[in-house]
Amino acid sequence: MREQAIESPNLLIQADNLTALRWLIEEKGLAGQIDLVYIDPPFATGGRFTVDGTRAATISSSRSGRLAYEDSLIGEDYLAFLRARLLLLRPLLSERGSIYVHIDDKIGHYVKVLMDEVFGIENFRNDITRIKCNPKNFRRKGYGNIKDMILFYTKGDDFIWHEPYEPYSEADLARLFPKRDAQGRRYTTVPLHAPGETKRGQTAQPFKGQRPPKGRHWCTDIATLERWDREGLIEWSSRGVPRKKIYADERRGKRMQDIWEFKDPQYPVYPTEKNADLLDLIVRTSSDEESYVLDCFCGSGTTLVAAQKRGRTWIGIDSSALAIEVAQRKLKALPRTLFSSEVTFELYRI
Ligand SMILES: C[S@@+](CC[C@H](N)C(=O)[O-])C[C@H]1O[C@@H](n2cnc3c(N)ncnc32)[C@H](O)[C@@H]1O
């Protein structure tokens, strides 16, 4: 049932997601339209998650505070619950679509098997380790747990991918760009030639009287080499060997690897609220501006906020009344930016 008169492609739905996902397919005709799904379902902890005042608590035994949600299904029942939702998410994904499933290390390996079954092991892209907190003094025997996992699958091989980069650390800079120029800018040098001999053409011509070494060719034409030299972008060794300077401050950073450090908010407004930058990374990497982004365990709406900020169309589903309230508050508090003017969405309770 629609709750407000506003017309918007963004949808916020309070419902059991099994019903809501069927509704998106059957009533809204969204099969094959969703480019990105991120879900952060309950982790089969047997816990009860409440909110006391403005702070979110994750106290499994607590009877106090307002209930956000109960994570009561465990073992086989939990896996059957999740499988039923994954089987509806797959047809919703577009041919260029991706799905990220955020899960912990206790149930995550069983969920990986489910994901292989539903999305195909050939579509498995990454098991991302997410560092979620600082090391603590655990009392139980065993190693401290500071990570959870995000399973990343795609519908097929031709998926949306905007290569993400992360800034170099000081150690990376020292290792990868060990030299400094007169202005103190960090750089390294690389050869000006590449494998493969050509007898004719620009890349085989002499540069400053030198031909490329045997079996190699210049990496660009002579005019460009001359320009680089005039601009001070070529370093000449004491033996007269030219190399191209590569400046650290002109690189986009290093390619993201599969260990991510994104700690969750210290004072969450909703239990198990996820890190906003983590969701921003996923949204900007695996969706386009015109994409639909779906989170059917949306909680406080972290994914929806990230999608809104990046100008994507979003759909959030959660069965908890408190989650829907908090998500609305977070969305409405967003400042106006280039992409997000007034946040509009249709609110449904099914
Ligand atoms: C781990 S929390 C998600 C937190 C969220 N990622 C955030 O950043 O705030 C899991 C959410 O799934 C919701 N949920 C659990 N079972 C559901 C169901 N069958 N249908 C819809 N939502 C459900 C819970 O109400 C809870 O808000």
Side-chain angles (χ1 to χ4, degrees):
M1 162 125 29
R2 194 154 125 200
E3 292 257 321
Q4 2 175 84
I6 298 164
E7 292 223 353
S8 169
N10 300 321
L11 308 176
L12 185 60
I13 306 166
Q14 185 189 339
D16 182 323
N17 47 20
L18 197 67
T19 312
L21 292 172
R22 283 196 191 118
W23 181 76
L24 293 181
I25 295 171
E26 290 161 14
E27 304 292 324
K28 286 284 185 183
L30 285 173
Q33 303 298 310
I34 310 291
D35 283 339
L36 172 61
V37 172
Y38 166 89
I39 56 169
D40 170 28
F43 291 177
T45 58
R48 186 172 186 276
F49 294 84
T50 58
V51 173
D52 281 309
T54 54
R55 294 276 172 86
T58 55
I59 313 160
S60 50
S61 58
S62 165
R63 292 279 130 200
S64 71
R66 185 169 164 202
L67 182 68
Y69 67 98
E70 276 187 273
D71 180 8
S72 50
L73 292 177
I74 52 168
E76 264 178 54
D77 294 339
Y78 174 82
L79 293 172
F81 160 88
L82 192 58
R83 185 171 181 275
R85 274 86 189 154
L86 295 175
L87 285 170
L88 291 170
L89 287 169
R90 189 173 184 282
L92 278 162
L93 268 191
S94 74
E95 289 309 305
R96 302 190 65 215
S98 300
I99 175 165
Y100 291 74
V101 178
H102 202 144
I103 202 74
D104 75 1
D105 63 340
K106 293 197 190 76
I107 196 76
H109 300 90
Y110 300 91
V111 175
K112 165 79 171 62
V113 176
L114 270 189
M115 293 294 289
D116 284 345
E117 178 210 329
V118 176
F119 291 92
I121 196 165
E122 68 283 7
N123 293 317
F124 166 70
R125 302 288 156 204
N126 288 105
D127 165 359
I128 296 156
T129 294
R130 199 273 300 226
I131 309 293
K132 60 180 179 174
C133 59
N134 291 324
K136 296 182 184 125
N137 272 332
F138 292 90
R139 259 175 287 142
R140 67 177 170 80
K141 268 190 179 171
Y143 303 105
N145 168 238
I146 58 167
K147 68 167 168 74
D148 53 23
M149 64 204 279
I150 303 173
L151 299 170
F152 167 34
Y153 284 69
T154 57
K155 185 81 171 267
D157 289 339
D158 182 24
F159 53 95
I160 297 171
W161 184 253
H162 302 288
E163 185 75 52
Y165 292 86
E166 59 183 327
Y168 295 114
S169 65
E170 277 308 315
D172 294 330
L173 287 170
R175 184 171 49 86
L176 298 170
F177 302 94
K179 301 180 173 199
R180 283 191 192 267
D181 72 4
Q183 285 71 46
R185 290 174 70 202
R186 279 194 173 279
Y187 73 97
T188 187
T189 61
V190 294
L192 274 180
H193 41 72
E197 193 159 65
T198 47
K199 296 267 183 252
R200 282 189 294 268
Q202 275 290 311
T203 60
Q205 301 308 309
F207 167 52
K208 303 279 184 208
Q210 281 188 36
R211 287 198 180 273
K214 200 169 167 31
R216 302 180 72 87
H217 64 281
W218 296 123
C219 62
T220 185
D221 56 80
I222 302 302
T224 306
L225 293 177
E226 294 285 1
R227 178 169 58 76
W228 285 350
D229 199 33
R230 279 195 307 278
E231 292 172 355
L233 295 174
I234 292 182
E235 185 171 81
W236 295 85
S237 76
S238 54
R239 287 185 294 132
V241 178
R243 287 171 70 89
K244 172 87 169 54
K245 289 182 184 171
I246 306 289
Y247 281 95
D249 56 19
E250 289 175 348
R251 309 296 288 187
R252 296 175 65 187
K254 57 183 179 183
R255 285 187 67 182
M256 290 280 306
Q257 307 296 310
D258 61 1
I259 299 183
W260 299 357
E261 184 165 344
F262 287 106
K263 292 175 186 144
D264 287 334
Q266 204 181 351
Y267 302 112
V269 292
Y270 188 78
T272 66
E273 181 183 10
K274 294 296 176 289
N275 180 300
D277 293 333
L278 164 75
L279 268 304
D280 181 61
L281 169 64
I282 291 174
V283 167
R284 68 184 145 85
T285 302
S286 290
S287 68
D288 291 331
E289 240 177 78
E290 54 281 2
S291 292
Y292 261 112
V293 175
L294 166 67
D295 183 344
C296 65
F297 293 91
C298 71
S300 65
T302 314
T303 310
L304 319 182
V305 167
Q308 174 72 30
K309 282 185 170 170
R310 292 271 166 193
R312 277 51 167 173
T313 303
W314 50 262
I315 301 172
I317 305 168
D318 204 292
S319 51
S320 157
L322 183 58
I324 298 295
E325 262 173 49
V326 178
Q328 289 190 74
R329 265 209 308 278
K330 273 171 61 167
L331 285 159
K332 285 182 178 162
L334 278 180
R336 292 173 187 217
T337 64
L338 184 62
F339 284 130
S340 51
S341 45
E342 190 98 336
V343 182
T344 59
F345 52 88
E346 294 182 3
L347 177 64
Y348 288 86
R349 296 188 210 273
I350 304 177

mmCIF file with all atom_site columns, all heavy atoms in Angstrom, residues 143-159:
data_model
loop_
_atom_site.group_PDB
_atom_site.id
_atom_site.type_symbol
_atom_site.label_atom_id
_atom_site.label_alt_id
_atom_site.label_comp_id
_atom_site.label_asym_id
_atom_site.label_entity_id
_atom_site.label_seq_id
_atom_site.pdbx_PDB_ins_code
_atom_site.Cartn_x
_atom_site.Cartn_y
_atom_site.Cartn_z
_atom_site.occupancy
_atom_site.B_iso_or_equiv
_atom_site.pdbx_formal_charge
_atom_site.auth_seq_id
_atom_site.auth_comp_id
_atom_site.auth_asym_id
_atom_site.auth_atom_id
_atom_site.pdbx_PDB_model_num
ATOM 1   N N   . TYR A 1 143 ? 42.002 -16.641 18.372  1.00 0.00 ? 143 TYR A N   1
ATOM 2   C CA  . TYR A 1 143 ? 42.448 -15.347 17.840  1.00 0.00 ? 143 TYR A CA  1
ATOM 3   C C   . TYR A 1 143 ? 41.289 -14.362 17.839  1.00 0.00 ? 143 TYR A C   1
ATOM 4   O O   . TYR A 1 143 ? 40.140 -14.745 17.650  1.00 0.00 ? 143 TYR A O   1
ATOM 5   C CB  . TYR A 1 143 ? 42.993 -15.536 16.418  1.00 0.00 ? 143 TYR A CB  1
ATOM 6   C CG  . TYR A 1 143 ? 44.110 -16.541 16.354  1.00 0.00 ? 143 TYR A CG  1
ATOM 7   C CD1 . TYR A 1 143 ? 43.901 -17.816 15.833  1.00 0.00 ? 143 TYR A CD1 1
ATOM 8   C CD2 . TYR A 1 143 ? 45.377 -16.232 16.851  1.00 0.00 ? 143 TYR A CD2 1
ATOM 9   C CE1 . TYR A 1 143 ? 44.924 -18.756 15.803  1.00 0.00 ? 143 TYR A CE1 1
ATOM 10  C CE2 . TYR A 1 143 ? 46.406 -17.163 16.825  1.00 0.00 ? 143 TYR A CE2 1
ATOM 11  C CZ  . TYR A 1 143 ? 46.176 -18.428 16.302  1.00 0.00 ? 143 TYR A CZ  1
ATOM 12  O OH  . TYR A 1 143 ? 47.176 -19.344 16.285  1.00 0.00 ? 143 TYR A OH  1
ATOM 13  N N   . GLY A 1 144 ? 41.611 -13.113 18.028  1.00 0.00 ? 144 GLY A N   1
ATOM 14  C CA  . GLY A 1 144 ? 40.581 -12.075 18.016  1.00 0.00 ? 144 GLY A CA  1
ATOM 15  C C   . GLY A 1 144 ? 39.970 -11.948 16.624  1.00 0.00 ? 144 GLY A C   1
ATOM 16  O O   . GLY A 1 144 ? 40.657 -12.146 15.628  1.00 0.00 ? 144 GLY A O   1
ATOM 17  N N   . ASN A 1 145 ? 38.693 -11.629 16.572  1.00 0.00 ? 145 ASN A N   1
ATOM 18  C CA  . ASN A 1 145 ? 38.020 -11.483 15.269  1.00 0.00 ? 145 ASN A CA  1
ATOM 19  C C   . ASN A 1 145 ? 37.806 -10.002 14.964  1.00 0.00 ? 145 ASN A C   1
ATOM 20  O O   . ASN A 1 145 ? 37.055 -9.323  15.654  1.00 0.00 ? 145 ASN A O   1
ATOM 21  C CB  . ASN A 1 145 ? 36.672 -12.227 15.303  1.00 0.00 ? 145 ASN A CB  1
ATOM 22  C CG  . ASN A 1 145 ? 35.802 -11.879 14.101  1.00 0.00 ? 145 ASN A CG  1
ATOM 23  O OD1 . ASN A 1 145 ? 34.684 -11.403 14.255  1.00 0.00 ? 145 ASN A OD1 1
ATOM 24  N ND2 . ASN A 1 145 ? 36.308 -12.087 12.913  1.00 0.00 ? 145 ASN A ND2 1
ATOM 25  N N   . ILE A 1 146 ? 38.490 -9.517  13.943  1.00 0.00 ? 146 ILE A N   1
ATOM 26  C CA  . ILE A 1 146 ? 38.324 -8.104  13.573  1.00 0.00 ? 146 ILE A CA  1
ATOM 27  C C   . ILE A 1 146 ? 37.808 -7.957  12.140  1.00 0.00 ? 146 ILE A C   1
ATOM 28  O O   . ILE A 1 146 ? 37.827 -6.881  11.578  1.00 0.00 ? 146 ILE A O   1
ATOM 29  C CB  . ILE A 1 146 ? 39.640 -7.309  13.740  1.00 0.00 ? 146 ILE A CB  1
ATOM 30  C CG1 . ILE A 1 146 ? 40.765 -7.909  12.897  1.00 0.00 ? 146 ILE A CG1 1
ATOM 31  C CG2 . ILE A 1 146 ? 40.048 -7.232  15.206  1.00 0.00 ? 146 ILE A CG2 1
ATOM 32  C CD1 . ILE A 1 146 ? 41.971 -6.994  12.770  1.00 0.00 ? 146 ILE A CD1 1
ATOM 33  N N   . LYS A 1 147 ? 37.388 -9.068  11.540  1.00 0.00 ? 147 LYS A N   1
ATOM 34  C CA  . LYS A 1 147 ? 36.975 -8.997  10.129  1.00 0.00 ? 147 LYS A CA  1
ATOM 35  C C   . LYS A 1 147 ? 35.609 -9.635  9.926   1.00 0.00 ? 147 LYS A C   1
ATOM 36  O O   . LYS A 1 147 ? 35.174 -10.475 10.714  1.00 0.00 ? 147 LYS A O   1
ATOM 37  C CB  . LYS A 1 147 ? 37.989 -9.720  9.247   1.00 0.00 ? 147 LYS A CB  1
ATOM 38  C CG  . LYS A 1 147 ? 38.012 -11.226 9.468   1.00 0.00 ? 147 LYS A CG  1
ATOM 39  C CD  . LYS A 1 147 ? 38.777 -11.906 8.373   1.00 0.00 ? 147 LYS A CD  1
ATOM 40  C CE  . LYS A 1 147 ? 39.098 -13.361 8.635   1.00 0.00 ? 147 LYS A CE  1
ATOM 41  N NZ  . LYS A 1 147 ? 38.028 -14.299 8.520   1.00 0.00 ? 147 LYS A NZ  1
ATOM 42  N N   . ASP A 1 148 ? 34.933 -9.217  8.858   1.00 0.00 ? 148 ASP A N   1
ATOM 43  C CA  . ASP A 1 148 ? 33.838 -10.020 8.319   1.00 0.00 ? 148 ASP A CA  1
ATOM 44  C C   . ASP A 1 148 ? 34.092 -10.153 6.823   1.00 0.00 ? 148 ASP A C   1
ATOM 45  O O   . ASP A 1 148 ? 35.209 -9.879  6.363   1.00 0.00 ? 148 ASP A O   1
ATOM 46  C CB  . ASP A 1 148 ? 32.459 -9.474  8.718   1.00 0.00 ? 148 ASP A CB  1
ATOM 47  C CG  . ASP A 1 148 ? 32.265 -8.006  8.399   1.00 0.00 ? 148 ASP A CG  1
ATOM 48  O OD1 . ASP A 1 148 ? 32.964 -7.493  7.501   1.00 0.00 ? 148 ASP A OD1 1
ATOM 49  O OD2 . ASP A 1 148 ? 31.420 -7.376  9.040   1.00 0.00 ? 148 ASP A OD2 1
ATOM 50  N N   . MET A 1 149 ? 33.112 -10.615 6.064   1.00 0.00 ? 149 MET A N   1
ATOM 51  C CA  . MET A 1 149 ? 33.382 -10.864 4.650   1.00 0.00 ? 149 MET A CA  1
ATOM 52  C C   . MET A 1 149 ? 32.271 -10.321 3.770   1.00 0.00 ? 149 MET A C   1
ATOM 53  O O   . MET A 1 149 ? 31.116 -10.212 4.200   1.00 0.00 ? 149 MET A O   1
ATOM 54  C CB  . MET A 1 149 ? 33.595 -12.362 4.399   1.00 0.00 ? 149 MET A CB  1
ATOM 55  C CG  . MET A 1 149 ? 32.407 -13.239 4.662   1.00 0.00 ? 149 MET A CG  1
ATOM 56  S SD  . MET A 1 149 ? 32.910 -14.953 5.036   1.00 0.00 ? 149 MET A SD  1
ATOM 57  C CE  . MET A 1 149 ? 33.173 -15.612 3.415   1.00 0.00 ? 149 MET A CE  1
ATOM 58  N N   . ILE A 1 150 ? 32.646 -9.962  2.559   1.00 0.00 ? 150 ILE A N   1
ATOM 59  C CA  . ILE A 1 150 ? 31.659 -9.513  1.573   1.00 0.00 ? 150 ILE A CA  1
ATOM 60  C C   . ILE A 1 150 ? 31.878 -10.368 0.325   1.00 0.00 ? 150 ILE A C   1
ATOM 61  O O   . ILE A 1 150 ? 32.968 -10.351 -0.260  1.00 0.00 ? 150 ILE A O   1
ATOM 62  C CB  . ILE A 1 150 ? 31.839 -8.019  1.234   1.00 0.00 ? 150 ILE A CB  1
ATOM 63  C CG1 . ILE A 1 150 ? 31.742 -7.169  2.504   1.00 0.00 ? 150 ILE A CG1 1
ATOM 64  C CG2 . ILE A 1 150 ? 30.791 -7.575  0.210   1.00 0.00 ? 150 ILE A CG2 1
ATOM 65  C CD1 . ILE A 1 150 ? 32.068 -5.697  2.308   1.00 0.00 ? 150 ILE A CD1 1
ATOM 66  N N   . LEU A 1 151 ? 30.853 -11.143 -0.034  1.00 0.00 ? 151 LEU A N   1
ATOM 67  C CA  . LEU A 1 151 ? 30.953 -12.008 -1.217  1.00 0.00 ? 151 LEU A CA  1
ATOM 68  C C   . LEU A 1 151 ? 30.437 -11.226 -2.416  1.00 0.00 ? 151 LEU A C   1
ATOM 69  O O   . LEU A 1 151 ? 29.325 -10.710 -2.388  1.00 0.00 ? 151 LEU A O   1
ATOM 70  C CB  . LEU A 1 151 ? 30.127 -13.279 -1.004  1.00 0.00 ? 151 LEU A CB  1
ATOM 71  C CG  . LEU A 1 151 ? 30.576 -14.133 0.179   1.00 0.00 ? 151 LEU A CG  1
ATOM 72  C CD1 . LEU A 1 151 ? 29.558 -15.232 0.479   1.00 0.00 ? 151 LEU A CD1 1
ATOM 73  C CD2 . LEU A 1 151 ? 31.949 -14.741 -0.098  1.00 0.00 ? 151 LEU A CD2 1
ATOM 74  N N   . PHE A 1 152 ? 31.274 -11.143 -3.439  1.00 0.00 ? 152 PHE A N   1
ATOM 75  C CA  . PHE A 1 152 ? 30.950 -10.337 -4.627  1.00 0.00 ? 152 PHE A CA  1
ATOM 76  C C   . PHE A 1 152 ? 30.779 -11.270 -5.826  1.00 0.00 ? 152 PHE A C   1
ATOM 77  O O   . PHE A 1 152 ? 31.713 -11.997 -6.190  1.00 0.00 ? 152 PHE A O   1
ATOM 78  C CB  . PHE A 1 152 ? 32.085 -9.322  -4.836  1.00 0.00 ? 152 PHE A CB  1
ATOM 79  C CG  . PHE A 1 152 ? 32.101 -8.601  -6.158  1.00 0.00 ? 152 PHE A CG  1
ATOM 80  C CD1 . PHE A 1 152 ? 30.936 -8.255  -6.833  1.00 0.00 ? 152 PHE A CD1 1
ATOM 81  C CD2 . PHE A 1 152 ? 33.321 -8.226  -6.739  1.00 0.00 ? 152 PHE A CD2 1
ATOM 82  C CE1 . PHE A 1 152 ? 30.971 -7.579  -8.044  1.00 0.00 ? 152 PHE A CE1 1
ATOM 83  C CE2 . PHE A 1 152 ? 33.374 -7.553  -7.944  1.00 0.00 ? 152 PHE A CE2 1
ATOM 84  C CZ  . PHE A 1 152 ? 32.198 -7.232  -8.595  1.00 0.00 ? 152 PHE A CZ  1
ATOM 85  N N   . TYR A 1 153 ? 29.579 -11.264 -6.411  1.00 0.00 ? 153 TYR A N   1
ATOM 86  C CA  . TYR A 1 153 ? 29.262 -12.064 -7.596  1.00 0.00 ? 153 TYR A CA  1
ATOM 87  C C   . TYR A 1 153 ? 28.672 -11.130 -8.658  1.00 0.00 ? 153 TYR A C   1
ATOM 88  O O   . TYR A 1 153 ? 28.151 -10.062 -8.321  1.00 0.00 ? 153 TYR A O   1
ATOM 89  C CB  . TYR A 1 153 ? 28.195 -13.126 -7.280  1.00 0.00 ? 153 TYR A CB  1
ATOM 90  C CG  . TYR A 1 153 ? 28.726 -14.317 -6.511  1.00 0.00 ? 153 TYR A CG  1
ATOM 91  C CD1 . TYR A 1 153 ? 29.127 -14.184 -5.186  1.00 0.00 ? 153 TYR A CD1 1
ATOM 92  C CD2 . TYR A 1 153 ? 28.816 -15.571 -7.108  1.00 0.00 ? 153 TYR A CD2 1
ATOM 93  C CE1 . TYR A 1 153 ? 29.613 -15.269 -4.473  1.00 0.00 ? 153 TYR A CE1 1
ATOM 94  C CE2 . TYR A 1 153 ? 29.297 -16.668 -6.402  1.00 0.00 ? 153 TYR A CE2 1
ATOM 95  C CZ  . TYR A 1 153 ? 29.696 -16.504 -5.084  1.00 0.00 ? 153 TYR A CZ  1
ATOM 96  O OH  . TYR A 1 153 ? 30.188 -17.580 -4.389  1.00 0.00 ? 153 TYR A OH  1
ATOM 97  N N   . THR A 1 154 ? 28.731 -11.575 -9.916  1.00 0.00 ? 154 THR A N   1
ATOM 98  C CA  . THR A 1 154 ? 28.090 -10.802 -10.982 1.00 0.00 ? 154 THR A CA  1
ATOM 99  C C   . THR A 1 154 ? 27.141 -11.722 -11.743 1.00 0.00 ? 154 THR A C   1
ATOM 100 O O   . THR A 1 154 ? 27.228 -12.946 -11.626 1.00 0.00 ? 154 THR A O   1
ATOM 101 C CB  . THR A 1 154 ? 29.130 -10.224 -11.953 1.00 0.00 ? 154 THR A CB  1
ATOM 102 O OG1 . THR A 1 154 ? 29.910 -11.298 -12.474 1.00 0.00 ? 154 THR A OG1 1
ATOM 103 C CG2 . THR A 1 154 ? 30.039 -9.222  -11.261 1.00 0.00 ? 154 THR A CG2 1
ATOM 104 N N   . LYS A 1 155 ? 26.275 -11.102 -12.537 1.00 0.00 ? 155 LYS A N   1
ATOM 105 C CA  . LYS A 1 155 ? 25.335 -11.923 -13.324 1.00 0.00 ? 155 LYS A CA  1
ATOM 106 C C   . LYS A 1 155 ? 26.097 -12.630 -14.453 1.00 0.00 ? 155 LYS A C   1
ATOM 107 O O   . LYS A 1 155 ? 25.816 -13.748 -14.807 1.00 0.00 ? 155 LYS A O   1
ATOM 108 C CB  . LYS A 1 155 ? 24.248 -11.006 -13.885 1.00 0.00 ? 155 LYS A CB  1
ATOM 109 C CG  . LYS A 1 155 ? 23.129 -11.689 -14.636 1.00 0.00 ? 155 LYS A CG  1
ATOM 110 C CD  . LYS A 1 155 ? 22.102 -12.262 -13.691 1.00 0.00 ? 155 LYS A CD  1
ATOM 111 C CE  . LYS A 1 155 ? 20.858 -12.752 -14.414 1.00 0.00 ? 155 LYS A CE  1
ATOM 112 N NZ  . LYS A 1 155 ? 19.789 -11.779 -14.509 1.00 0.00 ? 155 LYS A NZ  1
ATOM 113 N N   . GLY A 1 156 ? 27.089 -11.943 -15.012 1.00 0.00 ? 156 GLY A N   1
ATOM 114 C CA  . GLY A 1 156 ? 27.871 -12.530 -16.106 1.00 0.00 ? 156 GLY A CA  1
ATOM 115 C C   . GLY A 1 156 ? 29.223 -11.848 -16.184 1.00 0.00 ? 156 GLY A C   1
ATOM 116 O O   . GLY A 1 156 ? 29.653 -11.201 -15.225 1.00 0.00 ? 156 GLY A O   1
ATOM 117 N N   . ASP A 1 157 ? 29.876 -11.982 -17.360 1.00 0.00 ? 157 ASP A N   1
ATOM 118 C CA  . ASP A 1 157 ? 31.236 -11.439 -17.482 1.00 0.00 ? 157 ASP A CA  1
ATOM 119 C C   . ASP A 1 157 ? 31.257 -9.949  -17.814 1.00 0.00 ? 157 ASP A C   1
ATOM 120 O O   . ASP A 1 157 ? 32.233 -9.255  -17.523 1.00 0.00 ? 157 ASP A O   1
ATOM 121 C CB  . ASP A 1 157 ? 31.990 -12.180 -18.595 1.00 0.00 ? 157 ASP A CB  1
ATOM 122 C CG  . ASP A 1 157 ? 32.318 -13.599 -18.157 1.00 0.00 ? 157 ASP A CG  1
ATOM 123 O OD1 . ASP A 1 157 ? 32.327 -13.842 -16.929 1.00 0.00 ? 157 ASP A OD1 1
ATOM 124 O OD2 . ASP A 1 157 ? 32.531 -14.459 -19.036 1.00 0.00 ? 157 ASP A OD2 1
ATOM 125 N N   . ASP A 1 158 ? 30.197 -9.463  -18.439 1.00 0.00 ? 158 ASP A N   1
ATOM 126 C CA  . ASP A 1 158 ? 30.193 -8.067  -18.903 1.00 0.00 ? 158 ASP A CA  1
ATOM 127 C C   . ASP A 1 158 ? 29.531 -7.175  -17.847 1.00 0.00 ? 158 ASP A C   1
ATOM 128 O O   . ASP A 1 158 ? 28.478 -6.588  -18.082 1.00 0.00 ? 158 ASP A O   1
ATOM 129 C CB  . ASP A 1 158 ? 29.441 -8.002  -20.242 1.00 0.00 ? 158 ASP A CB  1
ATOM 130 C CG  . ASP A 1 158 ? 29.445 -6.600  -20.811 1.00 0.00 ? 158 ASP A CG  1
ATOM 131 O OD1 . ASP A 1 158 ? 30.353 -5.820  -20.458 1.00 0.00 ? 158 ASP A OD1 1
ATOM 132 O OD2 . ASP A 1 158 ? 28.511 -6.260  -21.573 1.00 0.00 ? 158 ASP A OD2 1
ATOM 133 N N   . PHE A 1 159 ? 30.133 -7.087  -16.686 1.00 0.00 ? 159 PHE A N   1
ATOM 134 C CA  . PHE A 1 159 ? 29.492 -6.351  -15.587 1.00 0.00 ? 159 PHE A CA  1
ATOM 135 C C   . PHE A 1 159 ? 30.030 -4.922  -15.496 1.00 0.00 ? 159 PHE A C   1
ATOM 136 O O   . PHE A 1 159 ? 31.134 -4.631  -15.968 1.00 0.00 ? 159 PHE A O   1
ATOM 137 C CB  . PHE A 1 159 ? 29.688 -7.095  -14.249 1.00 0.00 ? 159 PHE A CB  1
ATOM 138 C CG  . PHE A 1 159 ? 31.114 -7.440  -13.920 1.00 0.00 ? 159 PHE A CG  1
ATOM 139 C CD1 . PHE A 1 159 ? 31.884 -6.609  -13.121 1.00 0.00 ? 159 PHE A CD1 1
ATOM 140 C CD2 . PHE A 1 159 ? 31.707 -8.605  -14.412 1.00 0.00 ? 159 PHE A CD2 1
ATOM 141 C CE1 . PHE A 1 159 ? 33.199 -6.924  -12.801 1.00 0.00 ? 159 PHE A CE1 1
ATOM 142 C CE2 . PHE A 1 159 ? 33.027 -8.927  -14.105 1.00 0.00 ? 159 PHE A CE2 1
ATOM 143 C CZ  . PHE A 1 159 ? 33.770 -8.088  -13.303 1.00 0.00 ? 159 PHE A CZ  1
#
